[in-house]
């Protein structure tokens, strides 16, 4: 680390920073938690406060209202957000989630996580995130399309291939990305595939993007197993979440011949000591109108609660649902030796501390789930050049990036005698601070 060790805290009494902290952080727990990890790392690295301070703030935030004529003819107004945390290393990048309980604090936090994730895997992007407060399960496809198109129109001043590039996240998919791309293009007057990633293949999506997050998690699991000398054929896995990401991970692990003993989703969980038939379960979920595990029947399975899944006797636990799942209470009872975070922010800081004290190895989200944004980057690169790569090439690139990032983080955690999470944040912070210093402060 080349940054000045004596520098940290020089301006710790920074007035603006303190004001920002007071007015905002008390109410915004999730952003506060993210900052506390970041502050700890900045302090340990001994970075200069003046270099670090601007990175504690999101650069730009937009809250929009989205009036939509519903199928019954009435108008409903939805709330949407787009937060750009940092454009220091390149255009902002990050997904859009649809959820009834999403708020600005969550979007801010996720935008910052994108900054650190992109810096960690060293792709030339900053971080952003967007969201619409809605429950897609209660909307018709037509209503979903209208919300998406109006939301896109409302955030139009912020997005664009050279400014900020959206992608899928929780409850959004390639169809929604297609509507965003189409709406953006309609305003430009020509087709702009590179405005959005995670699109259907037919309109410029990349082969391998759909499975990219899951594949990245698989590469991470292989890396940790290799590093720690674990025989994955003998290991057992539990996966929380059987949506886009959780299901792909389960399928990829199953194809490798690994034993997945527990999975769940919002409809409930199932357990089988000898290992679940993931192909059969995936068929059930695909054909089930609700696309949930509910109603699945197979020999030897028993049902388990979410808490039982998170604390089950397994070697590797993969949280692949939402944030704040592994709390202090859960962490105390976690029996897995390794946790690979596939969701964004699944572990609370209190939970994390307990896991560290117990010696559980936690591979942090910004490392293990970076596969999605890595292949988003490859999609954007293909679009910019009007090229279409073979899936083999995409997967090979993804593998190289994931393996290199894992190695970098592993080496730093050994060198600094810290956790993988802190090492990952340190690397990301170092790269972002360096970029900022080179660019300088305008004016
Ligand atoms: N939503 C994904 C994430 O949280 C992908 C973002 C992207 O591809 O831009 O990493």
């Amino acid at each position: 680390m080349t940054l000045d060790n004596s520098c940290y805290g020089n301006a710790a009494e920074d007035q603006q920073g303190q004001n920002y902290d007071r007015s905002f952080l008390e109410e915004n727990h999730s952003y506060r938690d993210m900052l506390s990890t970041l502050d700890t790392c900045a302090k340990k690295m001994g970075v200069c406060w003046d270099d670090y301070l601007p990175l504690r703030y999101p650069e730009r935030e937009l809250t929009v209202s989205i009036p939509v004529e519903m199928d019954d003819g009435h108008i409903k107004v939805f709330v949407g957000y787009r937060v750009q945390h940092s454009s220091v290393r390149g255009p902002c990048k990050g997904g859009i989630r649809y959820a009834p309980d999403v708020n600005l604090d969550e979007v801010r936090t996720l935008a910052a996580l994108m900054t650190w994730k992109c810096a960690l895997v060293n792709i030339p992007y900053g971080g952003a995130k967007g969201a619409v407060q809605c429950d897609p399960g209660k909307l018709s496809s037509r209503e979903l399309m209208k919300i998406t198109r109006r939301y896109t129109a409302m955030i139009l001043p912020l997005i664009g291939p050279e400014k900020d590039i959206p992608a899928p996240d929780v409850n959004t998919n390639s169809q929604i990305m297609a509507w965003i791309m189409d709406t953006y293009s309609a305003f430009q007057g020509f087709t702009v595939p590179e405005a959005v990633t995670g699109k259907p293949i037919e309109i410029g999506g990349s082969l391998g993007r759909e499975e990219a997050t899951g594949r990245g998690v698989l590469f991470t699991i292989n890396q940790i197993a290799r590093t720690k000398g674990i025989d994955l054929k003998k290991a057992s896995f539990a996966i929380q979440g059987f949506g886009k990401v959780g299901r792909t991970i389960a399928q990829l692990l199953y194809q490798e011949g690994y034993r997945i003993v527990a999975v769940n989703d919002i409809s409930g969980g199932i357990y089988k000591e000898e290992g679940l038939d993931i192909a059969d379960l995936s068929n059930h979920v695909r054909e089930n109108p609700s696309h949930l595990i509910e109603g699945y029947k197979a020999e030897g399975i028993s049902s388990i609660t979410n808490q039982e899944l998170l604390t089950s006797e397994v070697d590797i636990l993969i949280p692949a649902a939402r944030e704040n799942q592994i709390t202090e209470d859960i962490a105390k009872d976690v029996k897995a030796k390794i946790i690979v975070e596939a969701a964004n922010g699944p572990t609370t800081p209190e939970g994390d501390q307990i896991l560290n004290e117990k010696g559980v190895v936690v591979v942090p989200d910004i490392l293990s789930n970076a596969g999605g944004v890595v292949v988003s980057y490859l999609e954007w690169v293909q679009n910019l050049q009007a090229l279409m790569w073979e899936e083999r090439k995409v997967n090979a690139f993804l593998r190289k990036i994931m393996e290199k990032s894992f190695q970098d983080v592993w080496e730093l955690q050994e060198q600094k005698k810290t956790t993988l999470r802190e090492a990952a944040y340190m690397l990301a912070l170092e790269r972002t601070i360096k970029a900022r210093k080179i660019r300088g402060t305008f004016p």
Side-chain angles (χ1 to χ4, degrees):
M1 188 74 230
T2 52
L3 296 160
D4 183 1
N5 198 29
S6 63
C7 219
Y8 186 89
N10 271 358
E13 295 311 316
D14 170 88
Q15 270 311 306
Q16 273 177 352
Q18 296 301 310
N19 288 339
Y20 175 81
D21 286 355
R22 256 202 306 275
S23 62
F24 166 70
L25 294 179
E26 271 165 29
E27 313 248 306
N28 292 275
H29 295 248
S30 161
Y31 199 79
R32 192 188 57 199
D33 288 348
M34 186 283 299
L35 272 189
S36 79
T37 310
L38 205 64
D39 285 350
T40 306
C41 293
K43 205 171 257 175
K44 284 193 181 173
M45 290 159 72
V47 300
C48 182
W49 178 257
D50 285 348
D51 295 335
Y52 168 59
L53 178 64
L55 297 173
R56 300 177 87 237
Y57 298 75
E59 278 178 15
R60 193 180 277 128
E61 304 181 343
L62 184 63
T63 300
V64 297
S65 59
I66 307 161
V68 171
E69 188 185 324
M70 307 300 280
D71 289 350
D72 65 5
H74 287 294
I75 298 282
K76 233 177 150 166
V77 180
F78 296 85
V79 175
Y81 309 101
R82 185 73 184 171
V83 175
Q84 298 176 339
H85 174 263
S86 171
S87 61
V88 162
R89 299 184 71 258
C92 299
K93 185 84 189 80
I96 291 170
R97 65 173 52 181
Y98 287 179
D101 56 347
V102 71
N103 58 42
L104 190 53
D105 177 38
E106 180 179 334
V107 181
R108 263 182 198 134
T109 310
L110 293 164
L113 286 188
M114 288 308 300
T115 301
W116 315 130
K117 195 184 298 186
C118 293
L120 178 62
V121 295
N122 219 354
I123 54 176
Y125 285 140
K129 202 80 172 196
V132 178
Q133 251 178 33
C134 67
D135 186 349
K138 297 199 175 117
L139 296 164
S140 70
S141 165
R142 202 179 149 72
E143 290 167 337
L144 208 54
M145 179 189 73
K146 287 183 177 178
I147 292 176
T148 303
R149 288 190 181 280
R150 184 62 191 239
Y151 169 68
T152 308
M154 296 304 288
I155 63 165
L156 208 64
L158 258 55
I159 58 170
E162 63 296 312
K163 292 196 285 188
D164 179 355
I165 306 120
D169 198 76
V170 173
N171 288 334
T172 56
N173 55 23
S174 59
Q175 175 60 72
I176 290 175
M177 297 309 115
W179 289 327
I180 295 177
M181 187 276 239
D182 185 68
T183 309
Y184 183 86
S185 298
F187 277 98
Q188 299 305 310
F190 50 90
T191 299
V192 192
E194 61 271 29
V196 169
T197 60
K199 300 178 294 294
I201 304 296
E202 292 80 355
I203 54 166
S206 175
L207 292 169
R209 174 62 184 86
E210 200 75 37
E211 311 80 30
T213 309
R215 198 175 294 282
V217 171
L218 175 70
F219 291 149
T220 305
I221 291 170
N222 287 339
Q223 282 286 101
I224 187 114
R226 220 170 291 149
T227 314
K228 291 191 73 70
I230 297 166
D231 180 0
L232 290 174
K233 294 268 183 219
K234 293 192 187 131
S236 56
F237 295 83
I239 304 173
Q240 185 203 30
F242 208 66
K244 262 180 311 184
V245 174
R247 200 183 329 167
T248 310
I249 298 167
Q251 285 165 347
L252 292 172
L253 292 174
Y254 185 71
Q255 281 161 21
E256 296 289 316
Y258 303 157
R259 186 164 57 98
I260 301 142
V261 299
V263 298
N264 73 1
D265 63 18
I266 46 162
S267 72
I270 51 174
Y271 181 88
K272 186 176 177 183
E273 178 67 32
E274 303 77 40
L276 295 158
D277 183 341
I278 297 296
D280 191 45
L281 177 63
S282 300
N283 282 339
H284 167 83
V285 168
R286 195 174 321 113
E287 275 153 31
N288 196 350
S290 65
H291 296 302
L292 294 172
I293 295 174
E294 61 187 0
Y296 179 68
K297 290 192 177 59
E299 223 190 283
I301 62 165
S302 51
S303 55
I304 51 165
T305 64
N306 187 43
Q307 178 160 356
E308 284 167 343
L309 180 136
L310 293 173
T311 58
S312 54
E313 288 273 0
V314 289
D315 298 300
I316 302 180
L317 171 66
I318 306 169
R322 289 282 292 267
E323 48 281 343
N324 300 331
Q325 297 299 303
I326 306 179
T327 57
E328 202 173 343
D329 277 351
I330 296 283
K332 277 194 279 208
D333 295 330
V334 161
K335 291 170 201 77
K337 295 168 214 64
I338 295 171
I339 295 180
V340 180
E341 294 184 340
N344 286 314
T347 312
T348 66
E350 299 79 20
D352 209 26
Q353 197 182 332
I354 292 176
L355 294 173
N356 294 334
E357 282 162 12
K358 285 170 62 162
V360 179
V361 177
V362 183
V363 189
D365 47 5
I366 59 169
L367 174 60
S368 44
N369 79 16
V373 74
V374 168
V375 178
S376 273
Y377 164 61
L378 302 180
E379 180 175 331
W380 181 72
V381 166
Q382 289 171 77
N383 293 157
L384 287 170
Q385 304 176 85
L387 287 174
M388 291 161 79
W389 296 354
E390 284 176 14
E391 184 166 355
R392 218 162 14 113
K393 181 168 171 173
V394 173
N395 290 346
F397 208 115
L398 172 63
R399 181 188 202 126
K400 209 168 132 192
I401 293 189
M402 294 305 293
E403 291 185 353
K404 166 92 175 81
S405 307
F406 184 90
Q407 233 168 317
D408 288 349
V409 172
W410 191 267
E411 276 166 22
L412 192 67
Q413 67 113 28
E414 297 221 300
Q415 190 193 323
K416 297 265 176 199
K417 310 231 171 319
T418 179
T419 61
L420 287 172
R421 192 183 312 279
E422 286 191 1
Y425 270 78
M426 283 182 189
L427 254 179
L429 247 183
E430 180 181 5
R431 287 190 185 138
T432 314
I433 288 178
K434 275 189 178 161
R436 237 205 113 256
K437 280 189 88 169
I438 292 165
R439 290 180 63 158
T441 304
F442 174 83

